[in-house]
Amino acid sequence: MEAEKKAISLLSKLRNELQTDKPIVPLVEKFVDTDIWNQYLEYQQSLLNESDGKPRWFLSPWLFVECYMYRRIHEAIIQSPPIDDFDVFKESKDQNFFESQQSIIALCTYLQELMKTIEDLEDNQLKDEFFKVLQISLWGNKCDLSLSGGDTSSQKTNIISSLEDLKPFILVNDMERLWSLLSNCKKTRERASITRVDIILDNSGFELITDLVLADFLLSSKLATEIHFYGKTIPWFVSDTTIHDFNWLIKQLKHSNHKWMSKCGVNWENHIKMGRWVYLDHMFWTLPHEFSAMSQVAPDLHAELQKAHLILFKGDLNYRKLTGDRKWEFTIPFHQALNGFHPAPLCSIRTLKAEVQVGLQPGQAEQLSASDPSWMTSGKYGIFQFDGPL
């Protein structure tokens, strides 16, 4: 109880600083990333004029203060043993999973039915199914608790039956390029060689299920031979996936009394045991840096990503970090907005919930703004935006 009281008082202090636009203070508790965070804070201060004093909540870059807030929430917990490994968001993440049960059953059933015939599919049929599982993973990204203030954002409808209706809402659609990349890898692959796809995860719960369905499909269709998943080292942006969420979800499926859910759980656990699926985390994903700084800040991670044949970045925060969360012109090419970040061919799969979007056709954004003023933040629109060799 003393630990809880301490954590609550630290969180109250944080809330007060935020609400009253206090200067942003360095982190105090020693943790693996504390020094890097404090260096970044000094960097933010160096960008200000002498007269501005210290970086403050209301006037600092939004990506930085948002990440900083979640890092401070974590600091309040790690300063309060024995609850220093408590995930303050776990309850809402679990709730999202349980409230999405019907949709999860529909997905697991779809996947297991598909597995029965996948070896017999012709190329064009396989391509259609590939596009389907990609779109399932895209629309799974709507379930984001950091935007709903923790209120339920569970998936109540059967996403598979909505795919045709949702197609017009895909603003950038590079699925063909993903298909040609992976099908070429498959055709030219020697028996002993591997095709590795890395998935940089976003939300746990329903979205994570859609990502695992995609990953299972990639293996079963032999479009990939190995999948590396990257999650967060600490609880982040309410619903982001940690190793605990990843393992918990697979366990829930495995012990489900629905046969196809259980079958998915058993198969997925087996992929992990056999090394076909590898889960990794790295502190870089919970730093405030944009990804173009990765080769300097986390050269080990950058070198690891260079080994992938394709990297899929799920969700909004990843897109903001890919593009530096800047106010780009809508028509600026994606390649340019990446600011030199190209460890391997990559693709952003996101529904739009933040005011940054590049690589649109001339006039496309203006048309959207006229018909739907909240198009950039509602999660109604999605993209598959690819950057790699043409």
Side-chain angles (χ1 to χ4, degrees):
M1 278 185 72
E2 286 309 310
E4 285 174 15
K5 282 179 193 164
K6 182 177 180 185
I8 289 166
S9 77
L10 290 166
L11 291 169
S12 302
K13 181 174 177 290
L14 170 63
R15 182 169 67 174
N16 177 263
E17 288 171 25
L18 193 161
Q19 289 174 326
T20 55
D21 192 28
K22 292 279 188 296
I24 291 174
V25 297
L27 299 174
V28 293
E29 186 70 13
K30 264 289 172 227
F31 197 62
V32 285
D33 62 353
T34 305
D35 291 343
I36 299 178
W37 264 100
N38 289 341
Q39 281 162 14
Y40 191 83
L41 189 56
E42 283 172 21
Y43 161 70
Q44 284 295 332
Q45 185 155 354
S46 74
L47 300 177
L48 300 172
N49 301 322
E50 289 303 311
S51 56
D52 292 339
K54 294 193 176 310
R56 307 174 82 85
W57 282 93
F58 294 179
L59 296 172
S60 297
W62 171 229
L63 181 64
F64 162 51
V65 289
E66 200 176 5
C67 291
Y68 174 79
M69 180 189 76
Y70 284 102
R71 182 58 183 80
R72 280 282 301 277
I73 291 171
H74 187 63
E75 180 167 78
I77 299 300
I78 57 175
Q79 280 184 275
S80 311
I83 60 163
D84 46 351
D85 61 348
F86 179 68
D87 180 348
V88 292
F89 306 123
K90 181 160 174 48
E91 197 177 331
S92 38
K93 287 190 270 197
D94 293 357
Q95 187 185 351
N96 168 276
F97 172 81
F98 290 122
E99 287 179 355
S100 306
Q101 286 297 289
Q102 290 314 109
S103 305
I104 292 170
I105 287 171
L107 272 189
C108 292
T109 305
Y110 163 75
L111 181 67
Q112 292 308 323
E113 293 295 335
L114 178 58
M115 289 304 170
K116 293 175 187 171
T117 59
I118 198 156
E119 307 249 311
D120 308 322
L121 296 181
E122 290 172 14
D123 245 22
N124 59 342
Q125 294 172 307
L126 193 64
K127 180 178 173 180
D128 286 347
E129 293 299 342
F130 175 55
F131 286 179
K132 243 189 229 179
V133 291
L134 277 173
Q135 289 170 79
I136 288 166
S137 176
L138 168 67
W139 299 118
N141 182 237
K142 283 187 174 193
C143 300
D144 190 322
L145 298 178
S146 71
L147 282 151
S148 60
D151 291 339
T152 180
S153 66
S154 51
Q155 182 67 31
K156 296 283 201 295
T157 54
N158 179 353
I159 211 166
I160 303 159
S161 54
S162 322
L163 292 182
E164 270 312 305
D165 299 336
L166 291 168
K167 263 196 188 137
F169 298 99
I170 301 174
L171 303 181
V172 178
N173 189 346
D174 288 338
M175 289 196 292
E176 285 283 351
R177 294 179 70 182
L178 296 179
W179 168 255
S180 91
L181 176 93
L182 291 177
S183 56
N184 282 341
C185 283
K186 182 180 174 180
K187 282 176 193 139
T188 56
R189 191 165 63 230
E190 299 295 326
R191 204 164 264 285
S193 67
I194 60 169
T195 300
R196 177 175 136 189
V197 175
D198 287 12
I199 303 178
I200 318 303
L201 298 169
D202 191 22
N203 300 297
S204 59
F206 181 74
E207 180 175 2
L208 181 54
I209 295 273
T210 67
D211 296 337
L212 299 182
V213 165
L214 169 61
D216 201 359
F217 174 85
L218 289 173
L219 283 188
S220 310
S221 61
K222 300 187 174 58
L223 287 168
T225 60
E226 200 176 287
I227 311 287
H228 286 204
F229 299 97
Y230 282 92
K232 306 295 194 297
T233 45
I234 60 174
W236 200 246
F237 278 62
V238 186
S239 41
D240 282 16
T241 304
T242 65
I243 182 69
H244 301 293
D245 301 324
F246 189 84
N247 292 336
W248 179 86
L249 181 132
I250 290 174
K251 203 169 167 184
Q252 287 296 321
L253 289 189
K254 185 183 165 185
H255 295 301
S256 162
N257 52 17
H258 187 280
K259 70 171 179 175
W260 294 136
M261 270 175 81
S262 170
K263 182 94 171 75
C264 282
V266 170
N267 289 352
W268 295 351
E269 192 177 73
N270 198 35
H271 289 330
I272 295 164
K273 279 181 187 153
M274 302 300 289
R276 292 188 291 264
W277 279 9
V278 182
Y279 180 95
L280 303 146
D281 45 30
H282 193 288
M283 71 168 177
F284 181 80
W285 305 118
T286 52
L287 292 175
H289 302 71
E290 57 193 84
F291 291 159
S292 60
M294 187 190 289
S295 54
Q296 274 80 49
V297 180
D300 57 331
L301 176 62
H302 191 264
E304 193 49 45
L305 293 179
Q306 286 177 315
K307 298 174 190 170
H309 293 81
L310 172 66
I311 311 170
L312 302 176
F313 285 90
K314 285 300 305 282
D316 224 48
L317 178 60
N318 279 325
Y319 193 78
R320 290 167 66 193
K321 288 187 169 189
L322 283 166
T323 59
D325 210 28
R326 288 177 175 76
K327 197 169 173 57
W328 293 106
E329 295 290 327
F330 295 116
T331 51
I332 286 280
F334 185 41
H335 183 83
Q336 191 178 329
L338 290 170
N339 194 19
F341 178 71
H342 311 288
L346 61 89
C347 184
S348 168
I349 301 178
R350 82 186 268 240
T351 57
L352 278 65
K353 304 170 204 140
E355 290 167 320
V356 56
Q357 180 59 53
V358 296
L360 296 184
Q361 298 302 314
Q364 194 178 1
E366 290 72 14
Q367 211 174 340
L368 284 161
S369 300
S371 63
D372 185 352
S374 65
W375 68 276
M376 293 183 84
T377 52
S378 61
K380 181 175 162 186
Y381 296 90
I383 59 161
F384 293 98
Q385 197 156 33
F386 179 78
D387 179 67
L390 286 163

